[in-house]
Each structure stands twice: as structure tokens, then as C-alpha cells.
Amino acid sequence: MKDLSRRNFVKMSAVGAGMMALGMNADAAVMKEKDVKWDEDFDVVIIGSGFAGLAAGIKAAKRGLNVVIIEKMGRIGGNSVVNGGIFAVPNSELQKKNGVKDSKELFISDCVKAGLGLNHVELLEVLADRAVDTFNFTVENGAKYLDKLLLEGGHSVPRTYYTANTSGSGIVQPLMESFQKLPNATVKTRTKFDDFILDDSGRVVGVQVRENYRFDNKLFSDDRENKGGDKKFIKAKKGVVLASGGFCSDKFFRKLQDPRAVPEFDTTNHPGATAGALISAFKVGALPVQIGWIQYIPYKCPDEKGNGITSKFAAQASFRYGFSVDPKTGKRYMNELADRKIRADAMFKIIDAKANSYPINLCDSVAAAKLVPSDLENPMKSGVIKKFDTLDELAKEYKIPAEELKKTAERYNGFVKSGVDEDFGKPMKLTDGITVATPPFYAMRGAPKLHHTMGGVKINTKAQVLDINDEPIPGFYAAGEVTGGTHGASRLGSCAILDCLTFGMIAGENIG
């Protein structure tokens, strides 16, 4: 023990405590370089192929480093491909074009309010400072956006871009094409990360993976039960970037953190969003931050599985220009432009799943015309959004007391005209004077779904992973949803793309 430094003693204690909590043997938990034989070597190994992983890969490869991105699924992109394509960019050119006044301070204030003050503000400052740079990075690599500025709930001003194809794939696909054009860039799909490998000094020097891996979502959790694939050891001469995303689809680990997240509860995430890589990071001493905070997104519909196609209608039409009612009473029950946590919590209070009773989100034809046509037409074709000539017809369809619904509409329209919501404090100046009065009317059933895991490993402003002694673990970087602290208790909508891309870029710029 004489030769054991305080740093290593603290790290070993943290690892031991973490392993006991996870039911693992601490002595056997961490793989050492001296015990493996390398099959391949690269300068940089990146775990995950979403926004964060691709941004890190492009930045690192353009520095001349030999980079490999490993992805356990059969396709690239993770949750980023099914992301809604909304990208918060404070102080953007589109804001200036539309006369919107924004600032670093206002952006941070909005984030901290939504995050209940739990945010690590130094990370938010990086997002604000580099937002325009990050946006330009995507454009330089082929991403295209609509000439349309969106307002997301909880933001004080409109500051959100929308991809031209209305999906996160509008960023992922061009970034992947850019990455693959680089001569020193490799992508391995169906390659599952299992463990980090450390040298005797505690530096992360490589990873253990399984190639030819096939995810099986019939299993309770692929990370703990699926043993398929061929084991390989990949050396990372400059370091490893963890960009594996969140764990909303990990039915065991999510319920461990939030008992409300029972296995039957639906999520917007792709099936591979599990906690295996995060747990492995804890095994090598990464400091966990706010793991128990899980965000439920209020834009979703109980009549479609997973992410679905109704979000744009809820967020950009009914919540902004219309309102949401409890079908049992026909009355509003929340501020429809509050942050995600406030709205999801309000919806949970009136939902009666056993009775199949869910909130009804509605708006009129003027509001619906604000949408990209496909964002209304596609969910109408699938039947999850319905059109009605009168509010009486809408009330009959959803078993709402018709007279109460009409009174609610009349009262709400009065708030729009006066500019003050006396019931719930919705910022009426952001409704552009649009009432719920011009038929036809449109409606959907609403429900929150598990969407984003707020916690993860702690990083600094250089995207370095920190240990329990608040010092960087050598050779170890992370970015995106697998990190914690940036957004606190609840993330504002459209800030995920900004977060993932920015810290992915930073990891790629600093690694080595």
C-alpha cells in the first residue's frame, strides 16, 4: 500500500464500490492490457455511430488520426436516425433573419429552469459558445435545413432549426458519408462493445468487442443475455470516445433508476438503447452523474408504438397554437408550452391507462397549416390524427363533454386575444394570435413516453471523462446522451442534437 498513490487508491475504491453495487467482482472487473493480445489497432476507437460518434470521428480523422467507429446494431445512427431533426442554435443567422433577439444568457437561463437548477453550467456555456460553429459543421458536411424557425416548449424565443427531411437522418446520413470518404476512417456495424482495456497506469488503451454480433430484442437485455459474436481486442493508441447513447430501452437498468419505468412502459428509443457501455464506464472509474433522472416526452401518442409520427403535430401545432384537454372534463389542465417535464407530469396526473383515457391535443386549420404538409398528412393516413368539421364532432369521437369543450375553447381564445393565460400561464405572445376557431379541427390522443436518460458519466469542457477524484481518466472521452449533468433534471427539446454534436466535435478535436 506504500506505493499506492492517493489518486489510484480513490479510483480503486470507487471501482470496488461500483462493482459491489452492480453485483460484480471488483478484482475481475477491469481488463488489463497485459492480459490481452491485440487483433487490430487504431489511433481512436469510437463507441456508437450517432450524432456524437460521427462528429468525433470526422474531427479526429481530419486531424490525420486513424479512426474506427464501432456500432452494435446492423445499421448506423442509433437514436439519432429516429430523432425528430430539431436543432437548437442560439444566436443563429435564421434568428437574425426573423428578427428574434437571443443571447447566451437567455439560452442558459432557459436550460437551467427546465433542469431544475441541477445543470452543470460550464457545459451549457460550451454549447452556447459553439452552437453556430456546430450548426455550420453539419452544413459543411452536407446537412440541409428548412428555412423555418421553430419554437420548442420551455424556450423563451424561437431558436430551433428543422432538417429538410424532418428527421435526424438528415444529419446522420451526410455525416456518415463525409466520414466514410476519409481515407483513415473505418465503420464496423454488428460490432458490440463489451469492455474497456486499461494499461498499468490506468489509461484506457483499447476495447474488447464482439464482431458478427446480432442484437436480439426478444431478450430481456442484450447486454446481459446475448453472448453471440466473435471476441476481438482493438487497441486505441490515442484513446477511446464513448458515444453509446442512453438506456431508455434497457428494461432492467431503467427501472432500477426510476421504478415508474416498468417493462411495459413504451419508449421512443430504438431497441439497442441499453446500458451496457455505461456500466462498463463505471467499471473503470467513470464518475456517475444524475443517473436516476429520466425524461418522458409529452408529444407522443398511445395509439402508435415507439417514436411514432405525431410529434410534430403535438409540438408545433396543438401545443403551440391550440390546447390539450382532459377528456373526462373537457377542460385544459396545463401550460402547453411549458418544458417537457412539467407537461409530462401534468399528463400523468390525468391519464387512466386502465380505462384507456388519455389527454386530447387539438388545434384548428390555421394552426395545422403551419406544419410541413407531411407532418399532418402521414399521421392522418395512419389514423392517429383525426379531422373534424365541428368541435361537437371532435367531442363525440373522444367522449368529451361537448359543452365543456366549447366553453374551454371560448375561454382559451379569449386568453389569446388578451395576451394573458389566466389559468396556466401559457405565454400567449408565442401563439401568434392563432385561436381554436377556424374549422376543420384536428386532434390526437397524447401520452408521455420514456425519451432521454439525463444522467451518465461526468465529463469536463474538453469532453474528458472524469473519475471520482474529479480528474480526467487518461485516454477516455465521452459525448452525447451517455454523459450527464449538462441538462440537469430535464432537457429542453431540440438541445440533444446541439449537445451530442458539440461535445462529439470537442472529443475529436482533443483526443490524443
Side-chain angles (χ1 to χ4, degrees):
M1 292 292 288
K2 262 190 212 179
D3 300 324
L4 188 61
S5 70
R6 177 179 178 274
R7 172 193 169 93
N8 285 337
F9 178 77
V10 171
K11 180 182 286 188
M12 287 173 61
S13 299
V15 172
M19 290 307 95
M20 284 189 285
L22 291 168
M24 300 177 184
N25 183 336
D27 292 333
V30 180
M31 298 190 68
K32 293 297 184 71
E33 182 179 22
K34 63 185 179 183
D35 299 321
V36 306
K37 181 180 179 182
W38 301 115
D39 295 293
E40 288 184 273
D41 66 83
F42 294 86
D43 293 320
V44 176
V45 175
I46 298 172
I47 303 162
S49 64
F51 296 132
L54 290 170
I58 290 170
K59 285 289 187 178
K62 285 191 172 181
R63 291 172 53 210
L65 301 177
N66 192 16
V67 181
V68 62
I69 292 176
I70 60 173
E71 168 59 58
K72 74 179 180 184
M73 306 301 282
R75 63 155 175 84
I76 57 96
N79 277 336
S80 300
V81 166
V82 296
N83 170 285
I86 52 176
F87 183 178
V89 187
N91 297 316
S92 71
E93 289 301 316
L94 193 55
Q95 285 180 312
K96 294 173 186 175
K97 177 181 174 181
N98 284 274
V100 176
K101 293 183 179 180
D102 202 357
S103 68
K104 173 180 177 178
E105 293 74 22
L106 185 59
F107 170 74
I108 292 174
S109 175
D110 288 346
C111 291
V112 171
K113 181 179 178 182
L116 303 182
L118 300 179
N119 314 66
H120 293 210
V121 177
E122 74 278 6
L123 302 179
L124 287 176
E125 289 176 343
V126 173
L127 296 187
D129 289 339
R130 293 205 57 175
V132 173
D133 177 35
T134 300
F135 174 78
N136 290 338
F137 167 79
T138 67
V139 173
E140 290 161 6
N141 283 283
K144 299 184 186 306
Y145 298 87
L146 298 174
D147 188 21
K148 178 183 176 74
L149 194 61
L150 303 181
L151 172 74
E152 281 293 298
H155 291 267
S156 295
V157 295
R159 58 166 67 100
T160 296
Y161 280 84
Y162 197 13
T163 54
N165 73 343
T166 69
S167 164
S169 63
I171 299 173
V172 169
Q173 289 171 353
L175 288 187
M176 178 55 74
E177 289 172 9
S178 289
F179 180 72
Q180 290 181 309
K181 287 176 183 175
L182 298 169
N184 48 334
T186 302
V187 180
K188 291 176 177 281
T189 57
R190 298 200 188 281
T191 301
K192 184 184 179 301
F193 163 83
D194 278 330
D195 278 303
F196 297 99
I197 299 168
L198 277 57
D199 66 13
D200 288 338
S201 73
R203 180 183 181 86
V204 175
V205 294
V207 295
Q208 176 187 312
V209 304
R210 279 179 280 155
E211 293 183 344
N212 303 312
Y213 172 85
R214 291 193 172 271
F215 180 85
D216 185 352
N217 60 10
K218 294 179 183 178
L219 296 172
F220 185 67
S221 168
D222 73 305
D223 293 308
R224 282 170 289 280
E225 294 187 23
N226 188 339
K227 306 301 181 185
D230 307 315
K231 185 187 296 186
K232 293 284 181 68
F233 298 102
I234 302 176
K235 186 172 184 176
K237 292 182 284 187
K238 300 294 185 181
V240 175
V241 179
L242 178 61
S244 56
F247 56 85
C248 278
S249 292
D250 194 315
K251 296 178 180 180
F252 166 76
F253 197 77
R254 74 186 197 189
K255 186 173 182 294
L256 186 67
Q257 310 309 321
D258 183 351
R260 297 176 300 174
V262 294
E264 296 77 18
F265 207 96
D266 202 5
T267 176
T268 64
N269 285 201
H270 80 113
T274 52
L278 179 66
I279 293 170
S280 293
F282 296 153
K283 286 165 59 175
V284 297
L287 186 64
V289 177
Q290 299 167 349
I291 306 299
W293 287 99
I294 297 176
Q295 182 181 80
Y296 296 78
I297 191 170
Y299 307 148
K300 300 304 173 180
C301 177
D303 301 318
E304 54 185 0
K305 291 292 185 182
N307 203 33
I309 56 175
T310 55
S311 291
K312 306 306 187 304
F313 172 81
Q316 298 171 25
S318 64
F319 282 169
R320 181 171 181 180
Y321 303 118
F323 54 81
S324 185
V325 298
D326 181 344
K328 298 184 289 295
T329 65
K331 297 179 179 180
R332 291 174 66 217
Y333 58 93
M334 69 172 181
N335 168 4
E336 293 87 354
L337 284 178
D339 66 59
R340 287 176 172 180
K341 185 178 186 335
I342 290 173
R343 284 179 288 178
D345 288 348
M347 295 175 88
F348 275 125
K349 288 179 182 177
I350 69 166
I351 288 173
D352 185 347
K354 289 183 179 178
N356 198 29
S357 179
Y358 293 88
I360 305 301
N361 308 326
L362 63 123
C363 68
D364 74 359
S365 59
V366 178
K370 294 281 188 178
L371 293 168
V372 173
S374 61
D375 289 339
L376 181 64
E377 293 165 0
N378 291 339
M380 284 187 66
K381 287 177 183 175
S382 70
V384 290
I385 291 176
K386 300 180 186 297
K387 181 170 73 171
F388 306 92
D389 291 329
T390 66
L391 288 177
D392 285 294
E393 290 179 9
L394 189 155
K396 182 178 180 181
E397 171 69 22
Y398 295 110
K399 298 180 173 57
I400 304 171
E403 292 307 312
E404 287 299 326
L405 177 62
K406 288 186 284 187
K407 287 179 185 177
T408 295
E410 183 179 359
R411 183 171 176 80
Y412 175 84
N413 292 342
F415 295 157
V416 173
K417 292 171 184 175
S418 70
V420 179
D421 177 2
E422 298 175 10
D423 292 340
F424 299 100
K426 182 176 181 177
M428 288 300 180
K429 66 179 181 179
L430 299 175
T431 65
D432 299 338
I434 295 175
T435 59
V436 180
T438 306
F441 302 96
Y442 298 85
M444 61 172 278
R445 300 206 307 164
K449 294 184 180 182
L450 281 142
H451 184 62
H452 193 98
T453 49
M454 308 309 306
V457 300
K458 172 60 180 167
I459 59 171
N460 61 17
T461 57
K462 294 181 179 179
Q464 295 170 300
V465 177
L466 304 180
D467 64 16
I468 200 168
N469 209 29
D470 204 33
E471 294 184 13
I473 298 173
F476 195 11
Y477 295 75
E481 193 177 349
V482 76
T483 67
T486 307
H487 306 287
S490 182
R491 173 179 61 78
L492 282 181
S494 73
C495 288
I497 293 180
L498 173 61
D499 178 20
C500 295
L501 288 171
T502 300
F503 279 104
M505 289 166 57
I506 291 169
E509 291 164 355
N510 287 302
I511 196 165

